[in-house]
Amino acid sequence: SLSREDFQRIPELAINPLGDRIINAFFPEGEDQVNFRGFMRTLAHFRPIEDNEKSKDQNGPEPLNSRSNKLHFAFRLYDLDKDDKISRDELLQVLRMMVGVNISDEQLGSIADRTIQEADQDGDSAISFAEFVKVLEKVDVEQKMSIRFLH
Amino acid sequence: KEEDNGSQQNRASRRKSYQRKNRDGKKAREEGSQKKDRGKTAHTKDQKESENKEKKTTKRGKEGENKQKKDRKNSSSSASSNSSDEESLSEEELAMLKEQVEQKKKLISTMRNKPWRMVKKLSVLREAQDFVEKFEGALGKGKGKKLYAYKMMMAKKWVKFKRDFENFKTQCIPWEMKIKEVESHFGSSVASYFIFLRWMYGVNLVLFGLIFGLVIIPEVLMGMPYGSMPRKTVPRAEQATAMDFSVLWDFEGYIKYSALFYGYYNNQRTIGWLKYRLPMAYFMVGISVFGYSLMVVIRSMARNANESTADGDDDNFIFSWKMFTSWDYLIGNPETADNKFASITTSFKESIVDEQESNKDENIHLRRFLRVLANVLIICCLCGSGYLIYFVVKRSQTFSKMQNVGWYERNEVEIVMSLLGMFCPPLFETIAALENYHPRIGLKWQLGRIFALFLGNLYTFLLALMDDVNEKLAEEDVVKNITHWTLLGHHNLSAGNDSTVTPPPLDPADVPRGPCWETTVGIEFVRLTVSDILVTYITILVGDFVRACFVRFVNYCWCWDLEAGFPSYAEFDISGNVLGLIFNQGMIWMGSFYAPGLVGINVLRLLTSMYFQCWAVMSSNVPHERVFKASKSNNFYMGLLLLILFLSLLPVAYTIMSLPPSFDCGPFSGKKRMYDVIQETIELDFPLFVAKIFSYVANPGLIIPAILLMVLAIYYLNAVSEAYQRANAELKKKMQLQREEEKNKRNNKASTNPMLQDLEDLLTPSTKTESIPKQAEDKKIESPNGTSPVRKPGRGEFLDGSPAASGRGAAFTPPRQVFVTQPRTLDVRAPYPGQPRPWGHPLGPVPGRGRGQPCY
């Protein structure tokens, strides 16, 4: 089984500002080790989407690599307290990780406010999952959040 | 590409995996039977191929054997049906086959996206590639089959070659990493300067190639060597000092009499065994330098104009996208990660500036008044400086006639010019603070004004030069006489009594020389360029680097904070550098006719400048306070460049057309005008009728209508392009308004409608289901665009229509209820109060039934 240190040895994850959160996403609640099954389950989110599977089973549970589940995975990276909302503070944390100290705090605050203003539709000053989906509606999530292998 | 890779690179592995193919035996057998069913005639070559492959895989176990048996059966069956089927290749079969080939091709190209197992993917891929390769050739008919297969193969190879070539070309672009680094730390506006510099370097390289290859090399290789003629030798009087560094630095001495300058070239009509017509080449190269530059500048402008119309249309979620999607997860290199951080920061700053600018709404009248005031002030400054320059030049002309002039009087013009150049730009900047433009627009205004200032600079320089030239022309007549009589005298002396003995030729160094004004002009330009280079480099070194060192190291023992206070670190001066580059290029264009070596000097200068400035920017500059995104098109710089190109064409054209060339130096010596060389070439080298044609074409009666026609064409094309632009703007506006309407609908929904609030309260209070009814309503509202308001699409349609697919798996009963009651809410959703209503709201029929809602 893998531990967090093993993940941190991957350079792309180490220099990623959200690297720690991504690593956390692999580990189930409170545990420090992930076995192969868990690893596979998380990576299954990045499987490419096939078009003809849509018509197959609408009655069963949705496959892990559907657009909605991919977005949910991304959403969980930002929503730390797991209340299904991205609040202003969570956005500020992310911003601080992305730009560091090069932009003043008030400007960061206004960026966060502006982001919420753009995305928020029900007026609760936080971004819910549905609003998040709406924001990324024009982004080609199926393409970008898929790992495509051939050789 | 993948099928190409497959067919060309993977033959070996394909043979190896023949065995693995059989694991999905069903599919292979199906295909085999399909092949049989269609009764396709396998290409004879293909048959042999497959037989060869079979032979090679004989060693691979039983499964392989089975496959081989099948294949042999196939091939034999197809061989038997070969003859009979060749004629019966009907149209439908052909079409079906074509469709299947297309399907297979599509499968190959989307293979990566399929969520299958690796084994399955590989086997299906190999199969599909085999199929395509086998049957694509068979699509041609009869004898044309082989040719068709050949054509397809060549087409594939060509596509691959083109792609590889594109990759190679992209790799060859120099300095890409450097510029990316600068861009991520300083923003796109600073990087645009470096991109412009790189482009200039390319243009100069081409010009240098032209001049060097067609003018300098032939003269050096095939012309007379140094010292053989008067024009190529240092005169006796100067020979003592000709090698001194100070003389060489002034471009006199040996350098003056080298291939770098106009005076070196011989006026022999043809040189060498190739009969290379050097004077003609010199003239044509001079013209083509301008022609090429013009073409390149205009083509670049046209290309930029194209790109700028394809605008990004999604500016709805700018900040959200920047926040959620800006990191590139494929970066693994720490340095690249640093660059990415910096560029994310810069992009946020740029968006902030853009936002601030678009949110500014002040008193329009005050702003207009301030702008007019600023422009008036600046025009006064420009006029004042123009008059000052004129006055000073006049004075210097009177000074030059006086006898004892002090140092100040001699250099007054240069001093005044430098002072103006140093103090006016910051003055313009402070006045421009009144105008309060977006930084991008402010930069353009600043550039334009400094440009106007420097035009005065140019004017004085050219005036001085023209005076010099006229002087030399007057001197020339005198020298011509002297030379003539000297030569005559020398002949008489050396001939002595015996007139049959050929006189020893006078040493070329002793022949009295004419002033050769062209070389003088060339020397002036070269001197100017070199001093410009030096001044630029020293300014950067002192103004940026030494200043940065000072601020960094002396800060420890200084009273106030140097970094935040007075000197602080320098910001990269975009406008100054761009203008410097443009004016420098103007000088090059003007001087290259008289000093062919000038372009080479410029190429060296641009090359070193790139490295030097990149280093200086990264080490001693800080990003601007307000980082702004450069305009998408570089057309402003190109426009200035075009202007300078025309301005520099004029003096050269004037001198070519109206001044007589020197009598003893240069490729046109001895002619009345420089362009006589063309006439001479036409008369002597071309057959007779060409001369006649040219004389007809040169008739004004023909030229004037041609010009008129071109003017009309320009007018027409201009009108057409304006119409297109207008249509474009209209469409963009429409899209924008539509989006805003959607947004406003969504935003105002919750607050304006009490009936709707009640309805929503009736529903389950979870956020998920609340959002779905809203989107359901949206769907309903948007659909009756002319159709009846009461519409009951099926459940599936509703699901597909809703933008959020989040409710897919969730229990879904509430929407049903909402659904049934939806139509009612339509009545209630009459025009919202306070909502601006652009043309024809889709709820046209409804307002009549509004319940107490004001109708607009």
Side-chain angles (χ1 to χ4, degrees), chain B residues 261 461 465 468 519-529:
Chain B
F261 291 108
F461 177 72
L465 216 55
D468 217 8
T519 307
T520 316
V521 169
I523 292 181
E524 282 301 313
F525 276 109
V526 173
R527 271 199 213 140
L528 185 69
T529 306

Side-chain angles (χ1 to χ4, degrees), chain B residues 119-181:
Chain B
V119 165
K120 183 172 176 197
K121 270 196 209 180
L122 280 173
S123 64
V124 171
L125 177 70
R126 299 296 198 284
E127 253 178 61
Q129 282 171 346
D130 279 343
F131 184 80
V132 168
E133 193 186 327
K134 191 165 183 178
F135 288 106
E136 210 163 15
L139 281 178
K141 296 193 187 148
K143 287 215 186 99
K145 247 191 253 179
K146 276 215 167 100
L147 185 63
Y148 187 77
Y150 179 72
K151 269 200 293 193
M152 292 305 293
M153 190 187 70
M154 288 316 281
K156 272 190 268 182
K157 279 208 183 9
W158 175 246
V159 164
K160 178 170 199 301
F161 172 73
K162 266 203 303 201
R163 197 201 179 100
D164 284 340
F165 186 63
E166 283 296 325
N167 283 349
F168 174 69
K169 268 205 306 195
T170 321
Q171 270 184 339
C172 274
I173 296 182
W175 306 312
E176 188 68 16
M177 275 320 291
K178 259 199 212 312
I179 296 187
K180 274 262 167 333
E181 209 182 331

Side-chain angles (χ1 to χ4, degrees), chain B residues 641-655:
Chain B
L641 198 63
L642 195 63
L643 191 59
I644 281 268
L645 178 57
F646 277 121
L647 285 180
S648 53
L649 181 58
L650 291 177
V652 178
Y654 173 73
T655 49

Side-chain angles (χ1 to χ4, degrees), chain A residues 12 15-17 22 47-48 50 54 78 91 95 97-98 102 111 114-115 118 135 138 148-150, chain B residues 112-113 115-116 118 121 314 317-321 323-324 327 329 331-332 337 341 345 348 355 808:
Chain A
E12 283 84 350
I15 58 180
N16 194 326
I22 298 177
R47 207 165 150 243
E50 175 158 322
K54 238 195 224 172
Y78 296 105
L91 280 181
L95 272 174
M97 286 198 291
M98 276 211 292
N102 293 326
I111 295 177
R114 175 61 201 263
T115 309
E118 276 175 358
V135 166
K138 291 235 179 75
R148 295 181 289 285
F149 296 105
L150 190 54
Chain B
R112 285 194 171 193
N113 295 342
W116 295 335
M118 195 56 158
K121 270 196 209 180
D314 284 310
F317 295 111
I318 309 176
F319 280 91
S320 311
W321 282 18
M323 172 157 317
F324 293 128
W327 182 256
Y329 285 84
I331 295 181
F341 265 116
T345 310
F348 267 116
E355 261 311 295
R808 251 250 209 120

Side-chain angles (χ1 to χ4, degrees), chain B residues 605-619:
Chain B
R605 168 229 166 96
L606 287 175
L607 189 61
T608 52
S609 179
M610 181 58 140
Y611 289 106
F612 185 58
Q613 280 190 304
C614 272
W615 165 79
V617 155
M618 293 299 292
S619 71

Side-chain angles (χ1 to χ4, degrees), chain B residues 629-815:
Chain B
K629 209 186 300 207
S631 57
K632 288 207 185 103
S633 67
N634 239 355
N635 266 354
F636 187 65
Y637 297 166
M638 291 297 162
L640 286 180
L641 198 63
L642 195 63
L643 191 59
I644 281 268
L645 178 57
F646 277 121
L647 285 180
S648 53
L649 181 58
L650 291 177
V652 178
Y654 173 73
T655 49
I656 291 182
M657 291 300 165
S658 53
L659 292 183
S662 303
F663 75 97
D664 68 342
C665 64
F668 308 117
S669 58
K671 303 199 182 8
K672 252 191 96 212
R673 288 274 184 274
M674 289 191 197
Y675 56 79
D676 283 341
V677 70
I678 298 188
Q679 234 163 348
E680 192 186 316
T681 313
I682 296 180
E683 281 167 18
L684 298 177
D685 289 328
F686 287 118
L688 250 126
F689 67 89
V690 175
K692 265 205 206 151
I693 294 180
F694 270 111
S695 67
Y696 287 152
V697 166
N699 190 353
L702 200 63
I703 292 188
I704 294 188
I707 295 183
L708 223 59
L709 193 65
M710 282 196 276
V711 167
L712 284 177
I714 291 177
Y715 175 70
Y716 169 71
L717 287 173
N718 201 19
V720 166
S721 96
E722 266 180 21
Y724 281 147
Q725 273 180 352
R726 249 179 289 137
N728 214 0
E730 289 265 338
L731 285 171
K732 265 197 229 171
K733 239 195 306 179
K734 243 192 196 173
M735 276 176 30
Q736 181 78 345
L737 281 171
Q738 255 182 16
R739 246 183 284 129
E740 272 184 27
E741 207 178 271
E742 266 182 47
K743 202 178 192 181
N744 286 330
K745 255 188 269 181
R746 254 196 296 285
N747 283 344
N748 288 343
K749 214 178 353 212
S751 48
T752 56
N753 216 323
M755 289 264 193
L756 202 57
Q757 274 304 98
D758 294 338
L759 213 74
E760 281 179 11
D761 290 337
L762 281 179
L763 303 171
T764 42
S766 77
T767 47
K768 246 197 217 172
T769 47
E770 251 179 20
S771 58
I772 297 178
K774 277 188 208 146
Q775 280 131 13
E777 282 175 17
D778 271 353
K779 188 65 200 151
K780 295 298 297 151
I781 301 295
E782 273 150 42
S783 55
N785 269 346
T787 63
S788 76
V790 182
R791 203 165 67 101
K792 287 190 186 161
R795 180 166 182 245
E797 199 182 316
F798 164 74
L799 282 180
D800 284 350
S802 81
S806 56
R808 251 250 209 120
F812 225 58
T813 39

